[in-house]
Amino acid sequence: FMFAEFIEIAIIAALFTTLFLGGYNLPYMNDGGFVFPGNHAVPLPHGLVVVIQLVVFLAKVLLISSFQILIRWTLPRFRYDQLMQLGWRKLLPASLVNILATGIGVMVLQGAEGSLAMGLRVLCDASTLLVGLVMAGLLVWFVVFLLKPVHKRPMLASTSAQFAAAMGGTRNFRMES
């Protein structure tokens, strides 16, 4: 059962990567290599493009998997009513707004001509690059967070220990009567 849960994490991460993070796509990359604004191209062999796309997809899946494991191991389980409230009241309206904005963006992009179309494509590529940089920044922050040493403050174990400390005694020193 535990192995099946880890397989589920990988499958959900792969689906999330495919549906929401662009799958194997990398900004400014197509089948022939990198193409930057202003028709600056860096041609690459097809085999190298496939390897780069595979590495990008696996990196996105690994990032989402580690995020799922981080959430699952640090936060308590949510109740079903909390999950249903989150889904119906927050995520469904947000997804409908996202679909509407994407549809409007695609219609504007298809109806644009000339320099406006080029400007919108550059804007789309820039937003994709911004999302990629934010994700890379979050990954760096996550790695720094994991590598930072933990400083534990001494804490009393129980209410009787707190009472003893308040009265002038602790486990190491006896209270005077």
Side-chain angles (χ1 to χ4, degrees):
F1 287 114
M2 291 178 65
F3 188 65
E5 284 188 18
F6 284 113
I7 292 173
E8 175 226 355
I9 288 173
I11 290 172
I12 287 175
L15 285 172
F16 188 87
T17 298
T18 303
L19 295 174
F20 299 110
L21 297 180
Y24 58 82
N25 290 327
L26 192 63
Y28 303 112
M29 186 173 202
N30 61 15
D31 293 338
F34 289 101
V35 178
F36 298 104
N39 293 329
H40 300 291
V42 178
L44 296 173
H46 183 68
L48 183 61
V49 170
V50 170
V51 168
I52 290 172
Q53 289 175 339
L54 181 65
V55 168
V56 165
F57 180 78
L58 291 177
K60 289 178 183 180
V61 168
L62 182 66
L63 181 69
I64 296 300
S65 295
S66 63
F67 183 70
Q68 281 183 349
I69 290 172
L70 175 77
I71 295 297
R72 186 173 289 186
W73 288 350
T74 56
L75 295 178
R77 291 186 181 213
F78 294 107
R79 296 189 324 248
Y80 289 110
D81 61 327
Q82 292 171 330
L83 290 174
M84 295 295 284
Q85 183 177 4
L86 174 71
W88 284 106
R89 292 190 179 172
K90 303 283 190 298
L91 297 179
L92 181 66
S95 66
L96 292 175
V97 168
N98 187 18
I99 290 171
L100 180 68
T102 303
I104 290 172
V106 167
M107 287 176 45
V108 167
L109 189 61
Q110 287 177 350
E113 295 179 3
S115 62
L116 179 63
M118 184 63 176
L120 289 174
R121 284 193 183 93
V122 168
L123 184 65
C124 290
D125 288 340
S127 67
T128 304
L129 183 63
L130 178 67
V131 169
L133 290 175
V134 167
M135 294 299 283
L138 287 174
L139 180 63
V140 168
W141 172 82
F142 180 66
V143 169
V144 168
F145 173 76
L146 289 179
L147 295 178
K148 187 171 68 171
V150 177
H151 300 288
K152 294 183 180 181
R153 288 181 283 158
M155 196 166 127
L156 297 174
S158 66
T159 55
S160 61
Q162 290 174 351
F163 176 75
M167 297 306 287
T170 61
R171 292 182 187 174
N172 297 333
F173 300 104
R174 294 186 178 269
M175 291 176 27
E176 296 179 17
S177 49

